[in-house]
Amino acid sequence: MEGILNIGIPDLVIRCPFLEIQHTDSEVYILERAVKRDRMAFASLYDLYLDRVYRYVYYWLPSKADAEDITQEVFIRAWHAIDKYKVTGAPFIAWLTTIARNLVNSHHRSAKRLVPLPETDTVISDNPGPQAEAEMNFTRNYVADAILKLKGEKQKVIQLRFINDMSYEEVAKALNKTEGAIRVLQYRALKDLRGILEKDKR
Amino acid sequence: MNRKEEVLSRCIDEVLSGRSTVEDCLLRYPELRNELRPLLEIALSIQPPKVAPSPEFRSRLRRRLLDVMAPAEAYQGRKEVTHGWFSSLLSVRMVAVSLLAFVVLSTGTVSVFASQSSLPGDMLYPVKVGVEKLQIAVTSNPEDKAYLHLKLAQRRIDEVTTQVNLSRSPDFSGLATLSAQTDAALHEIEKTSHGDINAFLSHLAESAINQQIALGSIRTENGHDNVQQAMDTLQRVNLIAETAYNNAAFLNTRPSVNDESLEQGRFTVDGTLLSVAGRTWNIGGMVLSNVRYSGEVPAINSRIKIDGLNKSNEVFIIKLEQKNDAQEEVIIGGFFNGTDKSGKTWYVGEMPVNAPEGKTPPVEGKKLEVQGVTQNVSVTITDVKEQSGEERAREQDAKMEGKLSSVDVKNKVITIKVAGAQISLNIGSSKIHTKDGKEISLSELPSMVGKELKVLGLDKKDGTIYAKDIRIDVD
C-alpha cells in the first residue's frame, strides 16, 4: 500500500511508501546511513545489537555492573568511530565484538583478574537455581580461561561462533574465508581447546 | 574439509537447534563417536549466557547515547535539545515532521523501516508508535481502520512474546492498549455501511483465540496482572464477536471489551414458547422484552432453548435451538446478579424471577440454573442448582466457547464455530465432560454436533491447537 501523507504544510503532499511497512529493510542500507552519521540509523543498530553485545560482554565479565559499563562504552565508541566502519558485507556484530573484546581485555588488565564471581542478573528463561547456576558459572570461567589461550583465528572462530552465536556464513564473512575453512578451523580450535582444558586440569 | 570436520559441524548444528541430542547424533557415526564426543561437549559448554540488559539499563543507555549523538552545534543547552529531539518522536505531528525530513533529506526512510521491528524499551520504539498513530490518522475507510486497529493490537501481543523469546525482561505496558485498540476496531466496524461485518467478526474471534494462546504460553514472574487482564479482555472479545455475528444490532449498544459486567447478562432460557407479540416473547411464563433475533421465529407452543445476552435493556438472542419434547417448567441459566430491595425478586442473567420461598440467595456471581413455574404471569423458582465454577488455577489458561461443527474421530480433530470462524482443535489428550461433569468418550462426540461447548487449556504446537479440557452443553 502506498499512502498520501498530508502534514498540514500548504502545497506539500508526500507520497509515503512506508504506511504499510514490511520487515524488508536491508541492514546494509541502514549501515550506509549510519556511517554517514545518521543518528536514527545508528539508533536502529543499537536496538538490533544491544542484547547480543551485552551477552557477549557478560560472558567475559559475569557481573551486571561491569557488563553494563562495558556495553555502554562499546556503543559510545562505536558511534564515535562509525564513519571508519567499512560496509563490506562483514557482519556489523563482528565489528562491535572487536570493540567489546578490546574493552574487556583492558578491563581484565586493569583489574588484574580474569572472571570475578557473578552477581545476580536478569536471568529469565530456564532459571536453573543457585546451585546449578554456580556450577554453570564455574564451568564457564574455566572454559573462558581456556578460550583466551587459543591462538589467533582459532580464538576468533570460537568466540564468534559460540559466544556471539553467529552462523558459519556470518563468521566466514567476518574473517574473509569460506564456510568450509571455518568448519575446519572450528574443528581444530575445539581440538586445541580440549588439549588446553586437559592440561589445565592436570 | 574432511569427514570429521563435516560431522562435527553437523552435530553441533543439530544439537544447538534442538533437532538432536549428543547421543543421537553420534550414534549415526559410530566410527567417530569417541573422538568427537569430547569436542562436541566442549562446543556445547560455550554458550552465550541467558541474560538480557535490564529495562533500567536500557533506558539509561538510550538517554546517554542520545546525549552523545546530539549534534555539536546543539551543545549549548544540549539537554533540552536532545530531550526535545527524543520526546519529539512521541508526538504524531513531530513524527510526521521527522518523516518529512527523512523523505526529503534521506534517499529513503531507513529509520522508519528499521523502527518497525523495535520493541518496548528500544530507542526507535517511540518512532514505531508514532508511525502507527499516523497510519490510523491517514486511514479514512472505517473497515480498513477497524482491521488496522486489530493489527496493532496483535503487534502488542507479538512484542510481548518476542521479548520473552529474546530472554528480555518483558515490558507488558503495551498490553494495556489492547482493549482500547479492540474497542476502536468495533466502533469503526459499526460505522461501516457496506463492509463485510461478519467477515470482520470472524477474523476478530479467531485472532482473539490465537492471542489468548500466545499469552497463555508466557510464564514469567512479572507482569502477571497485565497478562491476566489481557486474557480477560480477549475472552470478552469472543462473546462480543459471537453476539454481534448473530445480531448486527448488538454493535449499536457500543459493547466494550473492558465491560466486566457483560458476562453477567448472559443467560439461557429453556421452555415452551407461549406467545410472540412484536419484540416481546413469552417462554414458559418468562417474558422477554425488546428481543433481537435475526432468524425465523419458531412456531408457538414449540419447545425452545435460547442462549442470549441482556444489554442496554435489549435481549440479544445468540442461539436458538428447537427441541421436540414438551416441558412444563421453564429453566433459566445465568449468573446470579443479586435481589431487589424486598428480596422477593432474584436476578439471574439480568432477568427477574420470583424468589423461592424461604431460600437464602446464593453468593452474587455464582452461576445458577433455576427451574420455575408460571404464577401470575411471572416465573416462580421451584428449584435452584448452583453450577461449579472453573478452578482458579485455570484462570490464565486460554479458553473459548463455540458450537461443535464437525468431529473427525480417526484423527482426533474437532472443529468449533465461533462467530463464523471455523477453528480446528486436536483433542487427542483432552478430557471430555458434559456440563454435569459426566465423562464422555470421543466416539460419542459426532452425535453432539451443533451443541455448544467450552474448551479450556488451549495450547499451540507447530501450528496445531490442542485442548486439555472440553465441556459440552448436554445433560
Side-chain angles (χ1 to χ4, degrees):
Chain A
M1 185 181 109
E2 186 175 77
I4 299 290
L5 173 63
N6 185 339
I7 58 160
I9 299 175
D11 306 323
L12 185 56
V13 171
I14 306 158
R15 296 174 71 78
C16 297
F18 45 78
L19 286 179
E20 182 68 12
I21 291 153
Q22 304 296 324
H23 295 253
T24 52
D25 44 311
S26 112
E27 194 181 310
V28 174
Y29 184 61
I30 295 174
L31 283 167
E32 280 168 356
R33 299 289 321 158
V35 167
K36 289 175 188 151
R37 310 198 72 81
D38 177 330
R39 289 176 292 157
M40 296 278 266
F42 188 78
S44 81
L45 292 174
Y46 159 83
D47 286 344
L48 279 172
Y49 291 112
L50 172 63
D51 287 28
R52 283 173 83 178
V53 169
Y54 183 83
R55 266 193 272 275
Y56 175 83
V57 174
Y58 193 93
Y59 183 87
W60 299 105
L61 296 167
S63 130
K64 190 171 179 249
D66 289 346
E68 289 182 351
D69 284 352
I70 301 286
T71 305
Q72 169 166 311
E73 200 51 33
V74 170
F75 282 97
I76 292 172
R77 290 201 182 186
W79 169 251
H80 288 311
I82 190 74
D83 46 356
K84 294 183 194 76
Y85 174 74
K86 300 217 168 16
V87 187
T88 54
F92 186 63
I93 183 68
W95 190 71
L96 288 176
T97 302
T98 310
I99 301 177
R101 194 167 48 228
N102 290 335
L103 285 167
V104 167
N105 286 345
S106 57
H107 180 93
H108 280 156
R109 273 195 301 276
S110 63
K112 285 197 178 19
R113 60 189 168 159
L114 188 56
V115 260
L117 283 173
E119 293 166 14
T120 327
D121 206 342
T122 332
V123 177
I124 294 151
S125 45
D126 305 335
N127 193 350
Q131 174 78 27
E133 207 174 320
E135 278 169 24
M136 263 163 51
N137 281 325
F138 179 77
T139 313
R140 185 170 71 206
N141 295 355
Y142 188 59
V143 178
D145 202 2
I147 293 173
L148 292 176
K149 291 180 186 160
L150 283 172
K151 299 243 160 26
E153 282 184 329
K154 286 180 188 163
Q155 191 187 119
K156 279 188 191 160
V157 166
I158 294 296
Q159 292 207 17
L160 296 176
R161 267 289 287 139
F162 299 106
I163 305 171
N164 270 337
D165 204 14
M166 279 162 71
S167 66
Y168 292 106
E169 191 191 348
E170 288 173 314
V171 180
K173 277 185 184 160
L175 300 182
N176 203 15
K177 286 184 184 301
T178 63
E179 283 183 47
I182 297 299
R183 284 175 215 267
V184 173
L185 259 176
Q186 171 183 265
Y187 172 83
R188 290 183 189 159
L190 287 169
K191 227 174 150 185
D192 285 5
L193 203 52
R194 184 188 176 191
I196 296 166
L197 286 167
E198 277 177 353
K199 207 171 128 201
D200 285 355
K201 203 157 76 184
R202 280 202 297 272
Chain B
M1 186 172 36
N2 69 30
R3 192 170 143 75
K4 278 181 208 165
E5 291 145 3
E6 173 79 47
V7 170
L8 179 68
S9 299
R10 196 176 300 157
C11 285
I12 289 173
D13 289 348
E14 286 184 17
V15 178
L16 283 181
S17 66
R19 277 176 286 142
S20 179
T21 63
V22 173
E23 276 315 307
D24 288 347
C25 193
L26 291 176
L27 264 178
R28 276 183 274 143
Y29 313 100
E31 75 286 3
L32 295 171
R33 209 157 119 193
N34 290 340
E35 191 186 342
L36 293 189
R37 181 195 304 279
L39 302 189
L40 195 50
E41 277 167 357
I42 291 169
L44 297 172
S45 74
I46 318 167
Q47 282 193 26
K50 283 183 172 152
V51 292
S54 68
E56 299 75 42
F57 172 58
R58 239 175 243 286
S59 56
R60 201 168 67 231
L61 179 51
R62 186 178 58 209
R63 280 196 304 275
R64 178 91 177 86
L65 272 181
L66 287 168
D67 216 25
V68 168
M69 293 194 295
E73 63 269 27
Y75 193 79
Q76 299 288 319
R78 183 168 54 175
K79 268 248 148 64
E80 289 70 29
V81 171
T82 53
H83 281 274
W85 174 75
F86 185 65
S87 54
S88 74
L89 297 176
L90 295 165
S91 79
V92 179
R93 197 181 157 74
M94 287 312 287
V95 166
V97 174
S98 13
L99 293 186
L100 169 72
F102 280 112
V103 177
V104 176
L105 302 176
S106 324
T107 44
T109 54
V110 50
S111 305
V112 177
F113 278 121
S115 74
Q116 294 308 297
S117 53
S118 64
L119 296 167
D122 281 352
M123 206 182 250
L124 289 188
Y125 191 71
V127 179
K128 179 180 180 179
V129 176
V131 171
E132 288 177 356
K133 286 183 184 161
L134 192 65
Q135 281 179 282
I136 295 279
V138 298
T139 308
S140 52
N141 177 313
E143 199 179 356
D144 291 347
K145 219 169 183 167
Y147 278 98
L148 181 56
H149 278 295
L150 283 196
K151 193 170 148 189
L152 299 181
Q154 177 67 47
R155 250 189 223 171
R156 301 293 88 89
I157 306 249
D158 293 344
E159 283 164 4
V160 169
T161 50
T162 309
Q163 288 180 85
V164 172
N165 291 340
L166 291 173
S167 301
R168 281 197 190 179
S169 177
D171 176 343
F172 290 104
S173 53
L175 289 182
T177 63
L178 201 67
S179 50
Q181 295 284 11
T182 315
D183 277 353
L186 288 167
H187 181 51
E188 291 299 332
I189 205 71
E190 184 216 329
K191 285 198 261 177
T192 172
S193 48
H194 38 258
D196 188 345
I197 297 182
N198 277 352
F200 171 82
L201 293 168
S202 301
H203 175 73
L204 175 67
E206 193 169 358
S207 358
I209 289 162
N210 282 311
Q211 289 168 351
Q212 268 194 67
I213 296 172
L215 280 184
S217 67
I218 295 174
R219 293 281 180 265
T220 59
E221 280 158 29
N222 312 318
H224 179 85
D225 288 350
N226 301 62
V227 174
Q228 184 57 57
Q229 210 172 5
M231 291 293 267
D232 293 346
T233 300
L234 291 168
Q235 275 156 23
R236 278 193 288 273
V237 170
N238 270 348
L239 178 58
I240 292 176
E242 180 76 22
T243 313
Y245 187 83
N246 289 290
N247 273 293
F250 180 63
L251 289 175
N252 302 335
T253 68
R254 287 286 182 86
S256 164
V257 295
N258 271 330
D259 181 1
E260 287 174 19
S261 66
L262 207 60
E263 184 77 8
Q264 300 298 320
R266 199 90 204 262
F267 70 89
T268 54
V269 178
D270 181 350
T272 306
L273 182 64
L274 299 176
S275 68
V276 174
R279 285 174 58 201
T280 305
W281 294 26
N282 182 337
I283 306 167
M286 185 74 233
V287 178
L288 309 177
S289 319
N290 297 329
V291 173
R292 294 266 189 186
Y293 179 55
S294 53
E296 202 177 308
V297 179
I300 302 298
N301 289 329
S302 55
R303 186 185 157 200
I304 56 170
K305 185 180 176 189
I306 60 170
D307 201 319
L309 184 68
N310 261 305
K311 186 173 187 296
S312 312
N313 288 322
E314 294 202 270
V315 174
F316 296 92
I317 296 181
I318 302 171
K319 196 190 140 204
L320 189 152
E321 195 184 341
Q322 295 215 39
K323 293 189 170 183
N324 297 324
D325 48 334
Q327 182 176 271
E328 281 293 309
E329 305 86 7
V330 59
I331 298 169
I332 299 154
F335 287 102
F336 179 61
N337 323 111
T339 66
D340 70 352
K341 271 186 192 155
S342 68
K344 285 183 180 161
T345 303
W346 285 16
Y347 291 94
V348 178
E350 306 284 3
M351 292 192 299
V353 283
N354 293 332
E357 292 262 327
K359 182 147 172 89
T360 36
V363 181
E364 266 184 53
K366 268 271 173 201
K367 205 162 190 181
L368 298 186
E369 197 173 87
V370 300
Q371 195 169 320
V373 290
T374 316
Q375 267 178 5
N376 306 327
V377 225
S378 62
V379 172
T380 298
I381 299 171
T382 54
D383 188 25
V384 180
K385 267 193 257 176
E386 284 189 15
Q387 294 194 350
S388 58
E390 281 134 32
E391 297 78 36
R392 228 190 128 62
R394 281 213 184 107
E395 270 189 357
Q396 225 185 327
D397 271 5
K399 51 189 165 196
M400 66 185 264
E401 281 178 58
K403 191 156 88 173
L404 183 61
S405 87
S406 74
V407 180
D408 175 351
V409 177
K410 195 171 145 238
N411 295 311
K412 298 179 178 168
V413 171
I414 60 170
T415 324
I416 296 175
K417 204 171 170 188
V418 189
Q422 297 278 3
I423 294 165
S424 293
L425 304 175
N426 185 301
I427 56 161
S429 51
S430 317
K431 283 183 190 151
I432 312 168
H433 295 276
T434 64
K435 64 177 179 184
D436 298 333
K438 195 187 131 216
E439 200 161 338
I440 51 177
S441 70
L442 179 62
S443 59
E444 289 174 79
L445 269 188
S447 65
M448 294 171 189
V449 167
K451 298 284 178 199
E452 290 293 313
L453 48 83
K454 198 174 223 178
V455 186
L456 309 166
L458 295 169
D459 193 12
K460 201 171 195 173
K461 260 183 226 140
D462 304 323
T464 305
I465 304 179
Y466 292 84
K468 264 189 232 154
D469 210 334
I470 291 174
R471 288 195 198 168
I472 192 149
D473 189 19
V474 288
D475 298 318

